[in-house]
Amino acid sequence: MVDLNAQYEKIGPEIDSAIKSILLSTAFIKGPDVKLFEEELQEYMGVKNVISCANGTDALQLAMRVLNLKPGDEVITTNFTFIATVEVVALLGLKLVIVDPEPGTYNISVAAVRKAITSRTRLIVPVHLFGQCADMESLMEIAKKHDIYVIEDAAQATGADYLFNNGTTKKAGTIGHIGTTSFFPSKNLGCYGDGGALYTNDDDLAKKLRSIANHGMKIRYHYDDIGINSRLDTIQAAILRVKLKYLSEFNKARIKVADKYDKAFSPCELICVPERVSYSSHIFHQYTIRVKSGKRDYLKKFLESRKIPSMVYYPGPIHMQKAYSYLGFNENDFPVTTSLCKEVLSLPMHPDMEQEQIDYIISNILEFFK
Ligand SMILES: Cc1ncc(COP(=O)(O)O)c(C=O)c1O
């Protein structure tokens, strides 16, 4: 699905020397590269504050904790996402309110959010799934009207641009009150282990986030908040500084692959290619098709037999997982999520795909449908 070896072949010498410099400096925790990476990412994202942390799940947890939400406060998010988005809500004792996504973009349905708002709603968490932004302008309008927070889970969309009605753009993750991301190795901007970050234009929130990510400490050994230990390792920051320089180029290469997939599969009746919206670029963390007429699992097996990997993100709806049975839902309560879980298939997607590989994948998929 992702070829990190091919990428390493390209940028290996730079990565090696970045790692070596940290080994020699021994500044493994909170070394200078962490701050430098935060500053460079701030500039790239066009946001006032980047706060690095240990992973994208912690970033979500820190973001929800800093907003002083109370147990039982309602948090609206999508039912079609990686589990981290919802697990943090549940862990913090907040009331999880899941809603269906849009069938074409897979992103949270604004109409469903509107319906789910109550007087107890305190937060909306849109996820920019697979690399394309949710309808942030509408969501921010709803949030403003009801005086509620928005945390963008931008783990899969580092580098995507959101286009506002007035023609201005912002990077995914920098529109809501707080944005979060993950540097999991397979992400568009991935490190060589775990890593994550938060974005915010609010300096007070940024200060508090920095403190709670580091044991609640602003001054050494003085604790203003009950915190956690969630720091980005200096080695990972040094790797990310190298990879950030290539992010735009890598994202463009992904879009080229997606264009070729789109062109090949659009005429095919039983395949729905991912919908692209006018208000967001798509940086294709995943290229995810929908396979109609119950043929998804047959296609997956056929591709396996041709040594072509494919993945189902996500196979089981969250509302049917054992851990979330306490929510008390039935399968049919979320028809869009349920049908997506049966139809979606993600194809190999990374910046180093060769034409020959793309052709092989396309011709095998078209052969299956013939
Ligand atoms: C949408 C989304 N949110 C949150 C996360 C959690 O990030 P991490 O694995 O770094 O904790 C991930 C991915 O891994 C993700 O895809």
Side-chain angles (χ1 to χ4, degrees):
M1 295 294 289
V2 175
D3 191 349
L4 291 175
N5 271 325
Q7 191 179 82
Y8 182 68
E9 266 174 36
K10 226 186 236 169
I11 59 174
E14 277 182 89
I15 296 278
D16 290 353
S17 90
I19 295 175
K20 184 97 187 274
S21 76
I22 308 303
L23 297 181
L24 293 173
S25 76
T26 71
F28 298 116
I29 305 290
K30 286 198 164 285
D33 279 73
V34 176
K35 189 155 182 284
L36 289 169
F37 169 62
E38 288 178 350
E39 286 167 3
E40 285 158 8
L41 189 56
Q42 259 161 229
E43 165 125 29
Y44 174 85
M45 298 293 294
V47 71
K48 274 173 89 181
N49 302 281
V50 168
I51 301 102
S52 59
C53 65
N55 55 66
T57 311
D58 276 6
L60 284 161
Q61 189 192 152
L62 289 162
M64 286 184 210
R65 282 194 51 192
V66 84
L67 296 179
N68 283 327
L69 305 175
K70 311 264 174 317
D73 282 352
E74 292 181 9
V75 179
I76 303 175
T77 191
T78 169
N79 194 4
F80 193 63
T81 179
F82 179 60
I83 201 69
T85 322
V86 299
E87 112 195 317
V88 170
V89 178
L91 269 175
L92 294 178
L94 303 168
K95 185 167 176 217
L96 182 58
V97 179
I98 43 176
V99 299
D100 254 339
E102 293 291 346
T105 62
Y106 320 124
N107 274 327
I108 194 163
S109 154
V110 171
V113 170
R114 277 205 184 95
K115 266 198 210 149
I117 298 266
T118 73
S119 58
R120 293 174 304 280
T121 307
R122 291 286 169 271
L123 171 67
I124 306 170
V125 187
V127 180
H128 305 313
L129 205 69
F130 302 150
Q132 184 172 236
C133 294
D135 180 354
M136 285 305 294
E137 199 153 7
S138 304
L139 292 170
M140 293 308 289
E141 262 169 39
I142 297 173
K144 197 166 173 201
K145 182 169 162 203
H146 296 275
D147 194 21
I148 51 189
Y149 290 112
V150 174
I151 295 174
E152 296 170 80
D153 182 344
Q156 301 190 3
T158 308
D161 290 303
Y162 188 88
L163 175 64
F164 289 85
N165 283 327
N166 66 7
T168 56
T169 61
K170 279 189 182 173
K171 290 277 182 219
T174 67
I175 303 159
H177 300 89
I178 306 177
T180 65
T181 196
S182 161
F183 304 124
F184 188 83
S186 61
K187 294 286 190 273
N188 291 42
L189 179 61
C191 57
Y192 288 179
D194 274 312
L198 299 112
Y199 315 119
T200 183
N201 285 309
D202 182 323
D203 294 340
D204 291 334
L205 283 181
K207 260 187 220 146
K208 195 142 186 170
L209 283 168
R210 264 187 214 293
S211 159
I212 54 177
N214 190 28
H215 298 296
M217 192 160 66
K218 279 197 194 107
I219 302 168
R220 207 159 200 202
Y221 302 126
H222 292 265
Y223 307 99
D224 292 349
D225 303 293
I226 297 174
I228 58 172
N229 173 7
S230 184
R231 298 177 297 227
L232 181 68
D233 287 348
T234 315
I235 287 183
Q236 301 303 343
I239 291 165
L240 286 163
R241 287 188 69 203
V242 174
K243 290 184 83 176
L244 180 58
K245 289 190 284 181
Y246 294 92
L247 180 61
S248 296
E249 178 190 326
F250 288 169
N251 281 346
K252 276 188 200 138
R254 286 172 181 270
I255 295 168
K256 274 196 183 150
V257 178
D259 289 345
K260 287 175 187 160
Y261 279 153
D262 268 7
K263 192 163 172 232
F265 302 139
S266 291
C268 196
E269 257 172 38
L270 293 183
I271 298 179
C272 295
V273 299
E275 185 183 326
R276 301 201 202 184
V277 294
S278 56
Y279 52 76
S280 173
S281 65
H282 198 323
I283 45 101
F284 291 99
H285 173 57
Q286 299 295 340
Y287 185 90
T288 304
I289 56 173
R290 276 178 299 145
V291 184
K292 307 307 271 182
S293 296
K295 299 239 178 317
R296 193 265 315 270
D297 293 341
Y298 297 106
L299 172 62
K300 189 169 187 337
K301 279 218 172 79
F302 174 79
L303 293 177
E304 250 165 54
S305 75
R306 301 288 170 97
K307 305 237 178 305
I308 298 171
S310 62
M311 291 291 287
V312 175
Y313 302 118
Y314 298 93
I318 288 166
H319 70 282
M320 294 311 289
Q321 302 295 322
K322 191 172 158 206
Y324 296 88
S325 58
Y326 75 92
L327 295 171
F329 290 117
N330 297 313
E331 186 167 24
N332 296 333
D333 289 335
F334 297 92
V336 180
T337 308
T338 302
S339 70
L340 286 180
C341 290
K342 289 178 184 152
E343 290 179 355
V344 287
L345 191 65
S346 297
L347 304 178
M349 169 54 77
H350 58 86
D352 300 290
M353 286 182 76
E354 284 163 18
Q355 187 60 47
E356 205 184 325
Q357 293 174 313
I358 301 167
D359 289 343
Y360 182 70
I361 294 162
I362 289 175
S363 65
N364 275 285
I365 291 177
L366 295 181
E367 182 189 327
F368 174 83
F369 283 106
K370 251 187 213 160

